[in-house]
Amino acid sequence: MELFQAKDDYILQSGDRALWCSRKDGTMTVRPATDLLLAWNPVCLGLVEGVIGKIQLHTDLPLGLVLIRQKALVGHLPGNHKVYKITKIAVIPLSDEEPQELELELCKKHHFGIDKPEKLAQSPDESKFLMKTFSQIKSNVGVPIKKKVKENKEKERLERRLLDELYKVFMDSDSFYYSMTYDLTNSVQRQGDSDKSSLPLWKQVDDRFFWNKHMIQDLIDLQVPEVDFWVIPIIQGFVQVEELVVNYNETSDEERSSPETPPQEVTCVDDIHPRFTVALISRRSRHRAGMRYKRRGVDTDGHVANYVETEQLIHVHSHTLSFVQTRGSVPVFWSQAGYRYNPRPRLEKGEKETMSYFSAHFEEQLKLYKTQVIINLVDQGGREKIIGDAYLKQVLLYNNPNLTYVSFDFHEHCRGMKFENVQILTDAISDIITDMKWAWVDQAGVICKQEGIFRVNCMDCLDRTNVVQAAIARVVMEQQLKKLGVMPPEQPLPLKCYRIYQIMWANNGDTISRQYAGTAALKGDFTRTGERRLAGVMKDGVNSANRYYLNRFRDAYRQSVIDLMMGLPVTEDLYSIFSKEKEHEEKEKESQRGAQEQVSLLLQTYMQLLLPDDEKFHGGWALINCDMSLVDANNKDVDVLLLLSDKAYYIAYYDEEADKVNQYQRLNLEGLEKIEIGPEPTLFGKPKFCCMRLHYRNEETSGYFHTLRAATRNPEDDGKGRTARGALVWRRAKVSSSTNSPLSIRK
């Protein structure tokens, strides 16, 4: 559709329809396309894909019209319904001030309106109107937006930060999806039960997941049939669609790359192998929406934080099978002060005060899903115990026969990175999974319905939750495919299909995690590959540290933007955050200087204690040891001091709580065989660290190594020295003696 700018309005036109939005007060009206002739000197700014709605980022700032600038096709759902992801947005200030040029795709019919506006001038006033220089709104994340010099600096900074966060909300986390013909807010079962199928799409939606409802409300309030074309229901969540081929003769990628696998002729997959489409749709509730440390637990309306409904669709020929699970924060009043690493959770209200709100939450859930099976994954000991205990007490007080409570201490059962032990849980609830069934429809109608739902949670409802939901969904999918005759009853899903399936669930976990916590899911490598690897252990440490940083000031801005999108009042004084942020930056610099001095003193102290008098000290570093054998189930970093002399290097293990080195290794430089240096070995996503692996001999036996990385990451290093996505390339070096240096590397 085309976007026009006139003196008093912005006008969207598609075919014989037009939507006018006033630049003075944001009033929206639907009019015939021919009314464009009545507009004062309209100029075509380019093409857009649709309207998201309006938003006012602050009372000091004008309304903004939010448009879909670019979209990407995600795939086709059953019935050949196209699903799109919003990849770029444009925000146009609705004010009397001159607008800003947008990086829109040019309309071939009207492109001269932007390229040569001076030709449109009919009078000095019109010429002045059209010839004013447009500044640029940057749709690319993180790029500051130039504002007029005359504006107040604080106001300018606030607008820049909030607008930047609005762009990031839409474009950083692959969050927002829509379809012009398919209701993404409702599951297959709810669609089948609904009597609204004859209504316009936006009138069929599940209100919980209609994310731009408030932003588009002014248009809805017109209550005329012409608005139906312009109202696009948008969900925040995740959508991925894949077509899989059940071929037990096809060699997997891992087997194909193995030297033990003989080469095979490449053959085309033909129709003898069954095919099926699998789709994953996660829809995040717009109620109690927000960031992790800003939104926890339940509110006074019975809504919980990070509530997400995930639907797995299987489509074979004319048959569509659906299985739905939910996740959501523990529905009691609790919080975590998010300004320290791994903060301790605390309860905000007692049992009696919580009961009515706990009941309100589950009354709605039982009304929607009939029965609920709670799977609580929080630790049954340690700091999480207080939340798990409160949850169980409320379940017992609620005492509803349609509510089943299952507790599974994820970290206890999967200690030592044995995440495959999740099968203990799926085996234990296998009868419940079978009895729950799934929704099944074909061209003739409903064959069967899902009876109940699994509600899975951990503390954040991210990492552990995603692993468990993927495991349950896999059991269901294999049952479905065997029921349809796509899989033989005695065999599991082919490895190649399973790998794609794992990647889909890992992508789902990463996306939901970025929406709630700001970083990708921990333990994502297990969901992707089925095993825990060094790469994942290292990445989890990075993501945990990133989450700690992100929850500070950036989350205040992002939470404000989300609240404004939902039509909620902003509770924080955003102007005061500026001064706090500046004060924090100064304290952070001072803290870093102090930490550097402490590390220097620590290195000097242990250099004197550990090094003999006949060795010359050459340097020392405070690092993190990434060896898998030293990382516990909670992924706690192992601090080490690396000391280098002219004869040996020392690995000293530092206990931060005891504030001392509790053990160390001395390794002669003659036993050092090679050094590998390269980016963090991640399977997916950008590496965050550069790592060093020291290979050495132990009593003439090779095969030993230490893997070390920096304790913190320099954000300026992002994108430098990185390999392509999924690749792992290490620079290998041989160690040789040198008269000039105790350690030299020959490439």
Side-chain angles (χ1 to χ4, degrees), residues 298-333:
V298 72
D299 65 14
T300 53
D301 294 317
H303 300 133
V304 295
N306 199 23
Y307 182 90
V308 182
E309 180 187 83
T310 300
E311 180 180 23
Q312 181 176 280
L313 290 174
I314 303 295
H315 183 69
V316 182
H317 301 303
S318 62
H319 294 264
T320 301
L321 295 84
S322 158
F323 184 74
V324 174
Q325 303 178 76
T326 62
R327 68 178 76 191
S329 190
V330 173
V332 299
F333 290 94

Side-chain angles (χ1 to χ4, degrees), residues 208-273:
R208 296 175 296 166
F209 308 120
F210 188 177
W211 255 71
N212 59 325
K213 181 181 180 181
H214 172 74
M215 297 175 71
I216 204 73
Q217 189 65 51
D218 285 354
L219 189 57
I220 293 173
D221 288 344
L222 294 178
Q223 296 184 351
V224 294
E226 289 79 10
V227 306
D228 297 342
F229 174 81
W230 299 102
V231 178
I232 303 174
I234 294 169
I235 67 165
Q236 187 187 41
F238 175 77
V239 181
Q240 186 171 346
V241 184
E242 299 288 345
E243 184 178 53
L244 304 183
V245 179
V246 181
N247 183 3
Y248 289 96
N249 299 321
E250 188 174 15
T251 307
S252 69
D253 293 339
E254 291 86 347
E255 294 170 334
R256 194 178 296 113
S257 61
S258 172
E260 299 177 1
T261 304
Q264 297 181 359
E265 291 185 18
V266 179
T267 59
C268 295
V269 177
D270 53 37
D271 294 336
I272 65 170
H273 299 298

Side-chain angles (χ1 to χ4, degrees), residues 523-541:
K523 304 170 186 67
D525 62 312
F526 175 78
T527 313
R528 294 180 191 280
T529 65
E531 57 187 51
R532 201 77 171 107
R533 296 179 178 174
L534 174 63
V537 174
M538 293 166 64
K539 187 168 76 170
D540 282 4

Side-chain angles (χ1 to χ4, degrees), residues 42 52 114 128 221 249 259 297 338-340 370 457 486 517 559 586 605 611 629 643 650 665 709:
I52 295 173
I114 295 178
K128 183 179 179 182
D221 288 344
N249 299 321
Y339 293 95
R340 58 189 293 267
K370 309 308 178 188
N457 74 273
V486 176
Q559 185 64 55
E586 293 300 323
T605 300
L611 269 65
S629 60
L643 306 176
Y650 296 75
Q665 290 177 275
R709 64 165 172 83

Side-chain angles (χ1 to χ4, degrees), residues 23 30 48 52 94 239 328 367 501 541 569 573 585 742:
R23 295 174 60 186
V30 288
V48 296
I52 295 173
L94 299 174
V239 181
K367 181 179 178 182
Y501 171 80
D573 181 357
E585 288 171 355

